[in-house]
């Protein structure tokens, strides 16, 4: 059973959003977000993290929750401040910091051996897509080698934000601005 994103958003706006009985529904939402079947929801992530911080021992989904916020660096920076002190210097925080700072090579090097990251189906693709969007926002094109380092890939794959690969460069799709 997976609740609809609309139901999750409404729940998170209610005063009962920090009721521990709601953890299973929020965990289901996080699973859907991670595998791409549901859109990203900062509100659901924040609510679940807040609930986890009030439990005696947060479950193993905590790393996934943090890693799921990585595609939106400002959200990661916000969520990391909700962590209990015992998690503030964790590998997840290091991964998030590397991604937020644009240190993609370090991020992919560490993420490839991180159990929480590897266990979350679809998460690598979602993070990779966000990296491509960030690169496309900053550049019209970049060298293939730089693209491969930034995305943690061995070869250029078809990606939503890539327009074409030509002459050793990757060209990004540019959004049209209406006047």
């Amino acid at each position: 059973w997976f609740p609809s994103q609309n139901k999750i958003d409404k729940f998170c706006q209610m005063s009962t959003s920090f009721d521990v009985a709601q953890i299973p529904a929020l965990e289901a939402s996080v699973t859907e977000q991670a595998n791409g079947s549901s859109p990203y929801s900062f509100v659901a992530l924040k609510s679940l993290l807040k609930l986890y911080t009030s439990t005696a021992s947060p479950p193993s989904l905590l790393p996934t929750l943090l890693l799921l916020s990585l595609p939106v660096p400002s959200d990661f920076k916000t969520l990391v401040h909700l962590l209990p002190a015992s998690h503030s210097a964790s590998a997840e925080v290091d991964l998030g910091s590397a991604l937020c700072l644009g240190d993609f090579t370090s991020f992919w090097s560490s993420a490839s051996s991180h159990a929480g990251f590897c266990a979350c189906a679809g998460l690598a693709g979602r993070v990779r897509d966000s990296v491509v969007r960030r690169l496309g926002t900053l550049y019209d094109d970049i060298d293939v080698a730089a693209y491969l380092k930034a995305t943690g890939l061995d070869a250029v794959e078809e990606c939503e934000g890539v327009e074409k690969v030509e002459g050793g460069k990757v060209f990004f799709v540019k959004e049209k601005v209406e006047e």
Side-chain angles (χ1 to χ4, degrees):
W1 170 80
F2 291 111
S4 70
Q5 190 59 46
N6 191 27
K7 186 175 180 179
I8 291 294
D9 289 343
K10 284 181 182 176
F11 160 73
C12 292
Q13 294 170 1
M14 298 174 3
S15 61
T16 59
S17 64
F18 297 111
D19 177 4
V20 292
Q22 299 302 318
I23 288 177
L26 289 168
E27 287 174 338
S29 172
V30 168
T31 300
E32 282 191 344
Q33 289 178 58
N35 68 27
S37 61
S38 179
Y40 175 78
S41 171
F42 172 74
V43 175
L45 292 171
K46 182 184 77 165
S47 296
L48 186 55
L49 182 58
K50 187 87 168 158
L51 287 168
Y52 280 169
T53 60
S54 67
T55 61
S57 56
S60 61
L61 189 59
L62 182 59
T64 303
L65 180 65
L66 280 176
L67 293 170
L68 193 56
S69 69
L70 293 178
V72 184
S74 59
D75 287 359
F76 176 80
K77 291 176 185 176
T78 301
L79 290 175
V80 85
H81 292 291
L82 295 175
L83 286 174
S86 61
H87 287 82
S88 63
S90 67
E92 293 81 29
V93 174
D94 293 342
L95 278 173
S97 296
L99 191 61
C100 289
L101 294 171
D103 187 358
F104 303 125
T105 304
S106 293
F107 172 80
W108 290 112
S109 174
S110 298
S112 65
S113 61
H114 187 279
F117 187 82
C118 296
C120 188
L123 184 56
R126 290 192 68 149
V127 171
R128 191 168 285 115
D129 289 346
S130 76
V131 167
V132 171
R133 278 193 304 277
R134 286 174 66 188
L135 292 172
T137 300
L138 298 171
Y139 307 105
D140 290 331
D141 61 81
I142 62 171
D143 290 329
V144 169
Y147 175 85
L148 295 176
K149 282 184 180 180
T151 58
L153 296 171
D154 295 325
V156 179
E157 296 177 358
E158 191 173 311
C159 179
E160 190 175 305
V162 174
E163 183 176 314
K164 64 182 177 180
V165 180
E166 185 177 273
K169 292 201 175 274
V170 175
F171 293 84
F172 297 102
V173 173
K174 290 297 179 185
E175 291 187 31
K176 294 179 180 156
V177 179
E178 294 184 32
E179 294 179 20

